[in-house]
Amino acid sequence: MDIIITNSSGEPIYQQIYSQIKNMILNGTLKEGDALPSMRTLAQQMRISIITTKRAYEELERDGFIESYTGKGSFVKAQNTELFREQNLREAESLIAQACEKAKMCGIGLDELQEILKIIYGGENTDE
C-alpha cells in the first residue's frame, strides 16, 4: 500500500493516512474484505509512531470504512455506494460553489462558466 506522508502539508500525519486509505477505498483500489497492514507494520514501514497509525485506523473504523478484529487485523468494510455518492456529490457541490464565487469576482458570466465546465468535464467534445 503506497501512502505518502509530507511534513510540509500542515495536515497531521494520522489525517494524511486516513485520507489516503479512504480515497483508496472510494476509488476501488482497496476492495471489500481487503486486509490492511497491521498498525505496527504500517508504523514501521513509514517510520512513525504506532499511536499515529492507531488513530488513523480508529478514525477509519469510526467512519465506517474499515472493521477491525482482535487478533485478525483490519479489513475494508462493505461500502454503501449511495452514501459515498452523496458524500462525493456534497464535496463536488462545495468546490463548484467556490468556483462560482471566484468566477463572479472575476466578472465571468454564467454562459462563459458553463462553457469552461463543459470543456473541463468533457474534454474538447462539448456536443455530448
Side-chain angles (χ1 to χ4, degrees):
M1 180 165 30
D2 294 326
I3 296 176
I4 299 166
I5 301 301
T6 175
N7 292 327
S8 62
S9 79
E11 185 178 37
I13 293 173
Y14 83 90
Q15 187 65 45
Q16 292 179 51
I17 295 168
Y18 169 91
S19 298
Q20 290 179 49
I21 292 174
K22 175 185 167 185
N23 287 336
M24 286 185 233
I25 293 169
L26 291 176
N27 71 23
T29 303
L30 292 173
K31 299 187 180 353
E32 176 184 345
D34 284 352
L36 297 177
S38 72
M39 289 180 239
R40 179 169 288 134
T41 300
L42 185 60
Q44 288 172 343
Q45 288 173 349
M46 301 184 72
R47 293 177 167 69
I48 59 174
S49 167
I50 192 168
I51 294 170
T52 302
T53 56
K54 183 177 189 290
R55 182 159 181 198
Y57 278 34
E58 286 173 344
E59 299 273 327
L60 287 162
E61 188 164 16
R62 183 200 70 209
D63 292 344
F65 291 102
I66 66 171
E67 44 198 357
S68 299
Y69 302 98
T70 305
K72 293 185 179 183
S74 299
F75 302 87
V76 176
K77 190 174 179 180
Q79 304 301 310
N80 179 339
T81 55
E82 189 58 35
L83 177 67
F84 290 118
R85 183 185 184 287
E86 185 63 30
Q87 179 181 356
N88 286 329
L89 182 59
R90 278 195 314 271
E91 289 176 21
E93 287 172 350
S94 175
L95 292 169
I96 291 169
Q98 291 175 25
C100 287
E101 287 302 313
K102 182 67 88 172
K104 288 177 187 176
M105 287 174 29
C106 296
I108 297 172
L110 179 58
D111 290 339
E112 188 176 358
L113 186 60
Q114 286 175 325
E115 188 61 32
I116 293 168
L117 183 58
K118 284 180 186 178
I119 292 169
I120 292 171
Y121 188 81
E124 292 299 316
N125 187 357
T126 58
D127 294 335
E128 294 180 8

